[in-house]
Amino acid sequence: MVKIYIHTEYIELDSLLKWANIAMTGGEAKKMIRSGMVLVNGVVETRRKKKIYPGDRVEIAGGPALIVEKEER
C-alpha cells in the first residue's frame, strides 16, 4: 500500500495515476481505466475523471494499492 498526498480537496483518477507514476501519460492512464484495470474502493471504475477524495483506496491490477490522504500545510 502506497500513500499519496494531495493538497486539494480531490484529484481526478487519471491525474492520480500520473501523479503516482503508475501511468506515464494521460493516454496510458485512460487505457488502464477504460480496460477495467482500476478499482476505486473495491469497485471497477471506468470514468477517467472520477473524483478521488482523501480516504479513497485505488487499486491497479498487477500494481500497488494507493491510499489518498490530504496533506496538511
Side-chain angles (χ1 to χ4, degrees):
M1 178 179 355
V2 177
K3 290 183 180 180
I4 301 295
Y5 295 94
I6 60 174
H7 300 284
T8 57
E9 180 183 350
Y10 65 86
I11 187 169
E12 293 175 347
L13 182 56
D14 60 344
S15 297
L16 174 66
L17 296 181
K18 291 187 295 183
W19 179 254
N21 292 318
I22 302 297
M24 295 298 118
T25 66
E28 183 180 359
K30 181 179 176 181
K31 286 180 188 176
M32 293 173 72
I33 296 165
R34 293 284 169 112
S35 69
M37 293 177 60
V38 182
L39 284 77
V40 176
N41 298 323
V43 179
V44 173
E45 182 57 66
T46 58
R47 296 172 292 170
R48 64 185 183 96
K49 295 298 182 183
K50 165 77 173 157
K51 293 177 182 176
I52 305 300
Y53 293 92
D56 284 343
R57 179 185 178 103
V58 177
E59 299 174 66
I60 295 88
L66 309 174
I67 299 295
V68 177
E69 295 190 2
K70 176 90 171 167
E71 183 169 84
E72 300 300 325
R73 293 184 177 202

